[in-house]
Amino acid sequence: SLLSATGAFSAQRVGISMPKQLLYLATPYSSDADGIRIARHALACKCAANLLEAGFLVFSPIAHSHYIAAVGKLPSGFDYWREFDEAMISVADAVCVALMDGWDQSDGVRREMDYARSVSTPIYCCNANGRVVHYGEPTDAAARRLEDHVVGG
């Protein structure tokens, strides 16, 4: 099903108690171009903020590790962060793949999805800004439907 993330938890506002889900937000990041990594970090932060505003609990490894890697002069690639990311996926209620440019070519996103499947963590997807969530794995059809539902910035 396709739901507006901002409306998905509106039932809480009228007194229906709904448990919050912890989402691991999978987004593409790696690139040889610094500008692309910086833009992807900013979009991951925006997406996480919109999901938080909608009532989800969100862990974004890109938002978490981008500055840590820069300040600590640590590697930014998936291989360095894999163990940490897999530990977070293991405790998440679901992995949510943000369907931003490059998600379908991202080795890191693919590996996060593969690990989620191996530990039976459900996989959702959302549009690039996190405003619309599809409670199912990303497919070309889901990506097309999400592109048609970009809400806000």
Side-chain angles (χ1 to χ4, degrees):
S1 70
L2 191 64
L3 297 172
S4 166
T6 55
F9 281 84
S10 62
Q12 287 179 317
R13 294 184 203 116
V14 293
I16 298 170
S17 177
M18 298 176 73
K20 290 188 176 190
Q21 286 191 302
L22 173 60
L23 299 182
Y24 175 101
L25 182 60
T27 59
Y29 177 71
S30 296
S31 173
D32 292 333
D34 287 340
I36 290 174
R37 283 192 310 278
I38 290 167
R40 287 177 172 172
H41 170 258
L43 192 52
C45 290
K46 180 65 173 174
C47 185
N50 287 335
L51 290 167
L52 284 163
E53 181 183 15
F56 293 99
L57 303 173
V58 180
F59 172 74
S60 168
I62 302 309
H64 176 83
S65 62
H66 174 83
Y67 285 119
I68 293 173
V71 170
K73 298 185 181 6
L74 300 172
S76 61
F78 181 81
D79 287 333
Y80 182 82
W81 295 95
R82 182 185 58 79
E83 182 178 11
F84 183 83
D85 292 348
E86 289 178 355
M88 297 306 289
I89 290 169
S90 294
V91 299
D93 294 309
V95 167
C96 186
V97 178
L99 303 183
M100 58 181 66
D101 284 343
W103 76 270
D104 53 345
Q105 291 111 29
S106 170
D107 183 57
V109 170
R110 181 190 54 77
R111 290 166 70 182
E112 289 163 327
M113 290 172 55
D114 288 347
Y115 184 76
R117 288 183 195 105
S118 78
V119 294
S120 300
T121 300
I123 301 171
Y124 303 159
C125 57
C126 66
N127 64 346
N129 66 8
R131 290 286 189 186
V132 182
V133 174
H134 170 72
Y135 293 94
E137 291 206 21
T139 62
D140 289 340
R144 283 191 300 277
R145 283 195 309 271
L146 288 170
E147 286 172 3
D148 292 339
H149 290 87
V150 174
V151 180

